[in-house]
């Protein structure tokens, strides 16, 4: 009473799955299975066929045959019971009873047949037991995984607590360091996005003497605002260097420093490069022209969006200088559309390029020296699809070699502008450590929290209109390194707007002194 093999065949005689339970050669089992279709007759009621040596017990299942090959001494009733159990298991593992379904789940069927028949003899099992045995679920394994996961979660909690303690200690240490620095002077630092330098002045170093420090900051600048001298023994305020008028901004930079981020505060200017210390306005009238650049470049070349929006603002310190008109030179660029403030005389500007109020007897608003916003006089906008108008183009070439990705990035700057404080931010895949930078024109910094590599160039002029950087990271898709964002500033404008003269409307005397500033900044500059 031995089952030699359990097989699944097609009606045409093609063998799909066959499991042998006794030792036999491949030639013999192939011969037995090849002889079966010839022995099956049509119109017969029984489901077994006997030969001189073996017995075929079979059951049709749709377009298939489920076949047991046994010796003639086996108990046919037990063979039929085994065949019935196998016929229930086949649909459990094969949702489609055709050749494709059987071949796709062949190994699952073989494992199930092994649970039913062992060494040719039927095991006393049910369909549910066979499925349970094949799934091999283990309560001990589940318990082990739960214990392991709980240990991992506990370790993460401990790591977070340790990191929090380290951050607090760094913040306390930085507060102590900044307090000692600020006790040397009492200058108050404020920021402005319209200037390119930092100036801090302190008192208490001698009668009539002050300390002036001029440094560059990435994309903004600060201006010192004078205060009454404080005592040398006065304790520090604890706030350190304030960036702008917002305390939240100061706290944000403090937290960045506490987490190990590098905040650039001192950059040496190039030799021969003129620098202007941004102090509180001393001229009675200050005019500031600012342009914001929105550019979207394609990674394969070309330009998707190019938009320049500019404003001209006026700041007057003394009320007696408020009755004026401003004469400007627009540069004659036909692609720029100018719009005056609703209170300005449009005819006066259109005919003579003079900005003046509709009511000549009405003065311009005045403000304190610290009010850097001023009064808006003129707005303009320029849009273009000409790629030659782009001040800075970026090319990124990722290439996978073995288990590494080599990324080459190059920039090309137009001769129209000298760009300052250029920062090119390249997104990276999640890394355990900083990327390996092989070559760079400038400096780099890796922001591990945001997974961004920042490439910094202090100044791009005629000496370095092009540059490149190459770094290596683990294998990654090329789309990971986009979009690339760019920040920079310049002191030239697309509109080439200049203030030609200040025309006083009252007094009839000499025109008051005035100063003009120009600043080009990026608002949204990306390579997608």
């Amino acid at each position: 009473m031995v089952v030699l093999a359990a097989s699944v065949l097609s009606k045409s005689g093609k063998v799909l799955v066959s499991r042998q339970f006794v030792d036999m050669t491949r030639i013999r089992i192939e011969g037995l299975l090849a002889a079966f279709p010839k022995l099956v007759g049509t119109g017969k009621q029984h489901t077994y066929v006997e030969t001189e040596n073996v017995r075929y017990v079979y059951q049709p299942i749709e377009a298939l045959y489920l076949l047991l090959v046994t010796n003639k001494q086996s108990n046919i009733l037990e063979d039929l019971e085994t065949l019935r159990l196998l016929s229930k298991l086949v649909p459990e593992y094969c949702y489609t009873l055709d050749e494709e379904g059987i071949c796709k789940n062949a190994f699952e069927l073989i494992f199930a047949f092994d649970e039913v028949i062992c060494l040719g003899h039927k095991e006393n099992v049910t369909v549910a037991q066979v499925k349970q045995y094949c799934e091999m679920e283990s309560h001990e394994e589940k318990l082990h995984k739960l214990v392991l996961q709980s240990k991992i979660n506990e370790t993460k909690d401990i790591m977070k607590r340790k990191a929090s303690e380290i951050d607090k200690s760094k913040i306390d240490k930085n507060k102590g360091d900044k307090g000692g620095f600020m006790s040397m002077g009492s200058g108050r630092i404020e920021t402005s996005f319209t200037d390119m330098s930092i100036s801090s002045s302190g008192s208490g170093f001698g009668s009539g003497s002050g300390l002036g420090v001029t440094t560059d900051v990435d994309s903004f600048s600060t201006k010192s605002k004078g205060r009454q001298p404080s005592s040398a023994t006065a304790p520090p305020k604890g706030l350190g260097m304030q960036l702008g008028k917002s305390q939240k901004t100061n706290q944000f930079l403090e937290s960045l420093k506490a987490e190990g981020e590098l905040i650039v505060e001192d950059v040496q200017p190039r030799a021969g490069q003129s620098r202007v210390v941004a102090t509180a306005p001393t001229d009675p009238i200050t005019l500031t022209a600012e342009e914001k650049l929105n550019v979207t470049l394609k990674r394969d070349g070309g330009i998707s969006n190019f938009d320049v929006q500019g404003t001209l603002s006026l700041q007057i310190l003394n009320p007696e200088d408020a009755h004026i008109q401003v004469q400007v030179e627009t540069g004659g660029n036909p692609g720029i559309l100018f719009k005056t403030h609703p209170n300005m005389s449009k005819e006066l500007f259109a005919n003579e390029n003079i900005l003046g109020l509709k009511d000549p007897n009405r003065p311009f608003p005045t403000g304190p020296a610290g009010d850097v916003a001023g009064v808006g006089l003129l707005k303009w906008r320029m849009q273009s699809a000409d790629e030659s108008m782009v001040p800075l183009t970026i090319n990124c070439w990722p290439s996978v070699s073995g288990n590494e990705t080599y990324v080459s990035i190059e920039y090309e700057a137009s001769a129209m502008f000298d760009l300052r404080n250029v920062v090119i931010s390249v997104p990276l895949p999640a890394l355990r450590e900083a990327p390996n930078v092989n070559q760079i024109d400038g400096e780099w910094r890796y922001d591990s929290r945001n997974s961004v590599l920042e490439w910094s160039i202090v100044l791009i002029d005629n000496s370095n209109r092009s540059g490149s950087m190459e770094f290596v990271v683990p294998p990654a898709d090329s789309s990971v390194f986009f979009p690339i964002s760019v920040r920079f500033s310049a002191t030239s404008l697309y509109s080439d707007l200049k203030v030609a003269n200040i025309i006083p409307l009252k007094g009839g005397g000499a025109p008051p002194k005035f100063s003009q500033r120009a600043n080009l900044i990026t608002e949204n500059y990306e390579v997608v």
Side-chain angles (χ1 to χ4, degrees):
M1 191 177 68
V2 175
V3 178
L4 304 180
S7 307
V8 179
L9 295 81
S10 64
K11 288 291 181 70
S12 61
K14 181 180 179 181
V15 181
L16 304 179
V17 175
S18 179
R19 176 61 169 160
Q20 290 70 248
F21 301 102
V22 296
D23 292 335
M24 64 174 64
T25 62
R26 178 176 178 177
I27 295 176
R28 185 187 179 200
I29 186 61
E30 288 179 348
L32 292 175
L33 296 177
F36 171 72
K38 302 175 183 178
L39 299 174
V40 176
T42 58
K44 297 182 180 180
Q45 299 297 323
H46 55 76
T47 56
Y48 72 94
V49 178
E50 289 186 356
T51 64
E52 295 181 359
N53 299 319
V54 297
R55 177 189 297 136
Y56 298 96
V57 183
Y58 63 93
Q59 178 177 338
I61 304 178
E62 295 187 4
L64 306 173
Y65 279 124
L66 178 61
L67 173 66
L68 290 182
V69 182
T70 68
N71 57 16
K72 297 182 68 174
Q73 291 76 28
S74 66
N75 188 335
I76 191 170
L77 295 178
E78 290 191 4
D79 295 338
L80 291 173
E81 181 66 20
T82 304
L83 185 65
R84 184 186 62 83
L85 180 58
L86 295 180
S87 65
K88 292 181 180 179
L89 285 175
V90 172
E92 290 289 339
Y93 291 95
C94 302
Y95 298 103
T96 57
L97 296 177
D98 52 13
E99 292 187 14
E100 182 180 358
I102 297 296
C103 295
K104 186 177 180 180
N105 300 280
F107 286 100
E108 285 77 5
L109 286 177
I110 291 175
F111 295 150
F113 289 174
D114 286 344
E115 296 295 334
V116 176
I117 303 173
C118 179
L119 299 177
H121 300 280
K122 177 182 177 299
E123 297 285 342
N124 188 18
V125 292
T126 61
V127 175
Q129 289 175 333
V130 171
K131 293 183 65 177
Q132 182 181 0
Y133 297 157
C134 291
E135 289 175 359
M136 294 186 293
E137 291 187 357
S138 172
H139 177 72
E140 288 78 8
E141 181 183 3
K142 291 182 179 180
L143 182 61
H144 172 72
K145 289 182 178 180
L146 290 175
V147 173
L148 183 62
Q149 186 62 38
S150 64
K151 290 182 179 180
I152 294 175
N153 296 335
E154 183 179 359
T155 305
K156 289 182 178 179
D157 294 338
I158 296 175
M159 180 181 65
K160 291 179 181 179
R161 289 198 299 268
K162 293 293 184 182
S164 177
E165 292 175 1
I166 294 173
D167 292 342
K168 289 180 180 180
S169 63
K170 287 183 178 180
I171 293 175
D172 295 339
K173 183 179 179 181
N174 289 338
K175 284 183 178 180
D177 295 341
K178 290 177 177 57
F181 170 76
M182 290 304 294
S183 64
M184 296 174 60
S186 59
R188 180 183 177 185
I189 309 299
E190 293 186 351
T191 65
S192 170
F193 283 90
T194 59
D195 297 315
M196 298 304 302
S197 60
I198 290 181
S199 175
S200 63
S201 60
S203 60
F205 286 85
S207 59
S209 63
L211 175 63
V213 181
T214 303
T215 58
D216 284 338
V217 172
D218 285 344
S219 59
F220 54 87
S221 62
T222 63
K223 298 196 300 181
S224 70
K225 183 175 180 181
R227 278 196 312 186
Q228 294 297 327
S230 60
S231 172
T233 59
K237 296 295 183 182
L239 291 178
M241 182 176 293
Q242 288 189 351
L243 296 174
K245 297 181 180 181
S246 173
Q247 185 177 2
K248 293 182 179 179
T249 305
N250 178 57
Q251 293 176 351
F252 176 68
L253 292 179
E254 292 288 345
S255 62
L256 286 180
K257 291 182 179 180
E259 292 179 4
E261 294 294 333
L262 178 61
I263 305 300
V264 180
E265 295 182 351
D266 187 8
V267 179
Q268 297 295 332
R270 291 177 177 266
Q273 181 181 357
S274 62
R275 315 302 285 173
V276 179
V277 178
T279 59
T282 57
D283 295 316
I285 299 173
T286 302
L287 292 111
T288 303
E290 181 181 76
E291 289 182 346
K292 295 181 179 180
L293 192 59
N294 291 273
V295 176
T296 303
L297 302 175
K298 299 178 182 178
R299 67 181 72 177
D300 298 325
I303 181 173
S304 297
N305 177 48
F306 180 87
D307 182 76
V308 179
Q309 298 183 12
T311 58
L312 176 65
S313 59
L314 170 68
Q315 181 182 6
I316 301 176
L317 298 183
N318 303 319
E320 56 268 19
D321 297 326
H323 294 83
I324 60 171
Q325 291 179 341
V326 181
Q327 186 173 12
V328 297
E329 296 177 357
T330 57
N333 190 336
I336 297 180
L337 302 177
F338 291 93
K339 289 185 179 181
T340 59
H341 191 276
N343 293 332
M344 297 290 118
S345 174
K346 291 181 172 56
E347 295 79 8
L348 188 63
F349 176 73
N351 298 330
E352 305 179 36
N353 279 349
I354 294 178
L355 295 170
L357 295 173
K358 294 179 179 179
D359 183 4
N361 297 321
R362 180 181 175 184
F364 279 104
T366 59
D371 185 11
V372 296
V375 180
L377 302 181
L378 187 67
K379 289 184 178 181
W380 61 92
R381 186 175 184 179
M382 183 183 73
Q383 292 180 324
S384 176
D386 186 3
E387 194 172 357
S388 63
M389 300 295 293
V390 176
L392 187 68
T393 58
I394 307 295
N395 294 319
C396 181
W397 301 87
S399 60
V400 179
S401 177
N403 294 326
E404 295 178 328
T405 299
Y406 290 83
V407 183
S408 299
I409 302 179
E410 61 179 1
Y411 72 82
E412 292 184 7
S414 171
M416 294 186 296
F417 303 102
D418 289 345
L419 307 180
R420 304 183 180 184
N421 304 309
V422 181
V423 179
I424 302 172
S425 301
V426 183
L428 301 180
L431 303 176
R432 294 185 177 180
E433 55 186 13
N436 184 18
V437 178
N438 295 334
Q439 181 271 331
I440 187 170
D441 295 327
E443 298 180 353
W444 67 278
R445 183 179 71 88
Y446 175 56
D447 183 359
S448 58
R449 292 184 300 118
N450 299 318
S451 192
V452 173
L453 179 63
E454 294 185 351
W455 178 13
S456 303
I457 305 101
V458 176
L459 176 66
I460 297 179
D461 54 11
N462 291 329
S463 64
N464 59 343
R465 290 294 178 190
S466 62
S468 61
M469 174 180 66
E470 182 183 81
F471 61 89
V472 182
V473 295
D477 187 73
S478 60
S479 61
V480 174
F481 305 101
F482 296 92
I484 300 173
S485 60
V486 184
R487 304 192 310 270
F488 59 81
S489 62
T491 55
S492 302
L493 304 177
Y494 278 97
S495 62
D496 200 22
L497 182 73
K498 296 181 181 179
V499 178
N501 192 19
I502 298 294
I503 304 173
L505 299 180
K506 289 187 178 181
K513 294 182 180 181
F514 71 94
S515 63
Q516 54 182 321
R517 301 173 182 174
N519 191 28
L520 172 68
I521 61 175
T522 57
E523 188 173 47
N524 185 19
Y525 201 110
E526 288 185 336
V527 181
V528 298

